[in-house]
Structures are given as C-alpha cells and as structure tokens.
Amino acid sequence: MREYRFQATNETMEALRKLRGAWRGISIAEHEVTVVLRDGQAVRVGLDAAEVEALFDAYRIRAVLEPNAGVLGVPVEDFIDGNNDIVLFTGVTWSEPQGSVKVEGMSEDSAMHFSGHPGQLSETADVVCITTDAFVVASAAGRGMLIRTGLRPGSIEVERNPEKVRAFLLERGYEG
C-alpha cells in the first residue's frame, strides 16, 4: 500500500482556534463557510485539493483568518458568547486495486475511490491518503456544529442537527 498525508496546515489550525471565541454570524455557501467573529475578523473555511497520484485526488479542510469579514453572516445564538471548543478529525481517502471491486457498468481495469474514517479503511487498499476531513465546534451550552468535506468533490457540508452531529462523533470514536 502506498500512503500519503494531506492534513491541516499550522495556518489552518491557528485560524480554527479563533472559532473558540465569540461569533457574530455565519455565512454558508457550497464551497466555503465564513464565520464572522465578534471582533470583526473572519474565519473562512474551505477545502484544499491535492492530486495524490494520477486520477486520485484528496481533500482537506482549509481555514484562513481575515482581518475584515466583508460579510455580516446570520447570527448563531449557540456560539455568540464564546468559550467554544473545537475538535479536528482525521479522514482517509483510498483506492482499491483494479478489479478487486466489482460494480456493474465498470470495466475490470477501473479503480474505485472511497472516503471515510481510518476505521473504515479496507485491507485491500492500494493507495491511501490521510486527511483532515472534518471538525466540530461545540458551544459552552453543549450544542455542536459539524463542518466537513462534502460528498461532491470540492464541496463543504455544515450539519447542526444534534442527532446527526452526535452520530458523527460516535462513528469517529469521540468521547469528549
């Protein structure tokens, strides 16, 4: 198995740490989420892509801190007081060897690509890329928001439904 790493940068981790503070609002688009902080700065969250090998791409969470938000965002009551916690999650993207996965309509020399968490990694994986694919922000009141790479390449998903956030945390083995 060939293994690669495409994880969050120090710049991303520093920007995400700012989400611990008080929020003014949030703006959500298909490819980017902007959290406007009470101090006027903004944390822009999106994705970075890497061509790990020919026809094998991986995505990671990217965040940058900007001094001027440029947007106001929709207020998010759960996070306006600050004292939020943030947890980053490791994901994996892998490719199965040609012909090991049979799918109707695909030729025998095709390869299948999968994404998930490390516990889902197949023993027959040919190429593996370890990524930072998600994070959860939890408010002091105990409410959470999951932000992760989307199913469509380059998209980002935001989930605030408590049951779905809880299910994600349990699937990833988080007991915080």
Side-chain angles (χ1 to χ4, degrees), residues 30-85:
E30 183 179 8
H31 301 288
E32 185 175 81
V33 174
T34 303
V35 175
V36 181
L37 304 173
R38 191 178 294 162
D39 66 6
Q41 296 183 89
V43 177
R44 292 198 191 276
V45 179
L47 300 178
D48 283 334
E51 185 176 341
V52 178
E53 289 188 3
L55 302 175
F56 183 82
D57 295 339
Y59 296 88
R60 71 176 174 199
I61 295 290
R62 170 192 33 81
V64 294
L65 182 65
E66 295 185 359
N68 185 355
V71 296
L72 294 177
V74 176
V76 183
E77 294 292 323
D78 299 336
F79 303 98
I80 62 173
D81 292 329
N83 297 319
N84 305 313
D85 193 14

Side-chain angles (χ1 to χ4, degrees), residues 8 21 23 26 32 36 52 54 60 62 120-121 136 141 149-150 175:
W23 297 16
I26 188 168
E32 185 175 81
V36 181
V52 178
R60 71 176 174 199
R62 170 192 33 81
Q120 296 172 308
L121 182 60
V136 171
T149 57
E175 298 176 25

